[in-house]
């Protein structure tokens, strides 16, 4: 019987995950289906329970349910435990394991696809919400020397204290970074310039947000202010999906060429 998976979220209509997992399944010859599951904002537990209760083999979890999922699962992998958010549920008999593949997706894209150096890199992480929280552990494991900066400084302070890293308010950050990662949701509102422009001069800038047909506001802004390199987060989306696929199927899909496929679909 074909194994069923889905991405659960609200809204979920524009999720690229079904397209990405269909490509992985095709490449690896896995017999699986991957759909979309839109749940009411207060209805995560019921929708997830019904899908998995009816034989679903796993779920990806997107906004706004990553915290609901963390509370709902029976156990956490190390990345989920550290980040407080679950983006992948792996079913093992009656046991639902909550995992988080976002952090590893980010560092795989930075290291393997883009070839940026993280070991010893002076790295500035913008934002202190769920996205930033999910990235810190992986960036630290890759050897980055991290500072977290946030508009609301108290959030940066508490995150920094938890992970033993430096922190700042967005308006206090100075120049001199090898890598700058934007984990704020400001791109959604069309805002790219979050810090003094000198901050991105000669640094490599990564936006965890992505856009298929044009540079994101942060990437465009960083390019305009002398960044050495820029990338949006489409590669991270694909790499986090590849890690989820591996957790479910024990097969690692080849990810090369998928960004180009998605960008050409959108044209
Ligand atoms: P997520 O889970 O997607 O990270 P979140 O927890 O709501 O979402 O966090 C959003 C992050 O983007 C926060 O760091 C937020 O800063 P505040 O903590 O000060 O709210 C940041 N953010 C959102 N809009 C922003 C903007 N216009 N300028 C700067 N930071 C912004």
């Amino acid at each position: 019987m074909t194994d069923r998976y889905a991405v659960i979220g609200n809204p979920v209509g524009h999720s690229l995950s079904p397209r990405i997992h269909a490509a992985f399944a095709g490449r690896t010859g896995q017999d699986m289906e991957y759909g979309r599951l839109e749940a009411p904002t207060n209805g995560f537990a019921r929708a997830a329970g019904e899908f998995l209760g009816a034989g679903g083999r796993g779920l990806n979890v997107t906004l706004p349910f990553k915290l609901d999922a963390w509370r709902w699962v029976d156990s956490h992998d190390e990345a989920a435990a550290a980040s407080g958010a679950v983006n992948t549920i792996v079913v093992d008999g009656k046991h639902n394991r909550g995992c988080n593949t976002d952090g590893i997706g980010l560092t795989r894209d930075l290291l393997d696809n883009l070839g940026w150096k993280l070991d010893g890199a002076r790295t500035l992480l913008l934002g202190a919400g769920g996205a930033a929280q999910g990235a810190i552990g992986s960036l630290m494991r890759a050897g980055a020397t991290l500072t977290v900066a946030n508009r609301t400084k108290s959030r940066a302070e508490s995150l920094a204290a938890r992970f033993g890293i430096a922190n700042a308010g967005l308006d206090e950050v100075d120049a001199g970074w090898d890598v700058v990662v934007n984990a704020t949701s400001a791109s959604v509102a069309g805002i790219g310039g979050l810090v003094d422009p000198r901050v991105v001069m000669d640094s490599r800038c990564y936006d965890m947000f992505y856009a298929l047909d044009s540079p994101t506001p942060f990437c465009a802004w960083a390019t305009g202010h002398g960044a050495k390199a820029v990338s949006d987060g489409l590669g991270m989306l694909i790499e986090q999906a590849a890690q989820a696929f591996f957790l479910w199927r024990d097969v690692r899909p080849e990810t090369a060429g998928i960004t180009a496929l998605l960008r050409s679909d959108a044209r």
Side-chain angles (χ1 to χ4, degrees):
M1 206 175 79
T2 303
D3 288 337
R4 289 193 310 122
Y5 298 85
V7 54
I8 182 168
N10 186 335
V12 83
H14 290 101
S15 171
L16 295 175
S17 294
R19 180 78 173 102
I20 296 169
H21 283 282
F24 289 164
R27 287 178 173 200
T28 56
Q30 294 285 301
D31 183 13
M32 59 188 276
E33 267 172 29
Y34 186 109
R36 294 185 172 86
L37 189 56
E38 183 153 313
T41 47
N42 62 356
F44 171 81
R46 182 169 178 180
E50 281 176 5
F51 180 80
L52 298 178
R57 302 284 301 142
L59 284 167
N60 277 140
V61 183
T62 188
L63 298 179
F65 296 132
K66 292 185 181 185
L67 294 181
D68 293 300
W70 195 88
R71 287 189 212 102
W72 186 75
V73 292
D74 302 311
S75 67
H76 301 111
D77 75 354
E78 198 186 322
S83 66
V86 160
N87 80 334
T88 302
I89 297 176
V90 178
V91 176
D92 184 5
K94 286 195 177 314
H95 187 96
N96 297 321
R97 185 158 54 96
C99 306
N100 196 313
T101 65
D102 284 330
I104 197 162
L106 171 66
T107 47
R108 286 230 174 100
D109 196 35
L110 291 172
L111 295 169
D112 302 346
N113 299 335
L114 294 166
W116 296 3
K117 182 175 169 292
L118 288 176
D119 193 16
R122 292 161 302 172
T123 303
L124 176 68
L125 181 64
L126 303 174
Q133 214 164 301
I136 293 176
S138 282
L139 289 169
M140 289 178 75
R141 264 193 298 283
T145 305
L146 257 190
T147 296
V148 60
N150 196 47
R151 177 176 62 181
T152 310
K153 194 179 171 187
S154 57
R155 287 183 87 188
E157 282 167 352
S158 47
L159 207 52
R162 218 174 96 199
F163 287 93
I165 56 177
N167 74 88
L170 284 184
D171 51 358
E172 301 170 333
V173 186
D174 278 333
W177 304 94
D178 299 310
V179 176
V180 179
V181 177
N182 178 26
T184 74
S185 51
S187 276
V188 181
I191 298 166
L194 297 165
V195 284
D196 187 300
R198 285 172 305 160
V199 169
V200 293
M201 173 86 93
D202 288 332
S203 62
R204 297 189 158 89
C205 295
Y206 191 91
D207 195 351
M208 284 169 63
F209 185 75
Y210 66 85
L212 288 176
D213 47 4
S214 58
T216 66
F218 178 74
C219 288
W221 176 81
T223 301
H225 290 95
K228 195 190 278 179
V230 299
S231 174
D232 76 4
L234 189 59
M236 172 181 173
L237 178 78
I238 292 162
E239 295 300 335
Q240 66 74 30
Q243 180 65 15
F245 191 94
F246 173 69
L247 293 176
W248 290 329
R249 311 299 301 181
D250 207 20
V251 175
R252 203 170 277 291
E254 178 60 62
T255 55
I258 306 260
T259 41
L261 189 75
L262 296 175
R263 292 200 203 273
S264 79
D265 279 358
R267 267 183 222 121

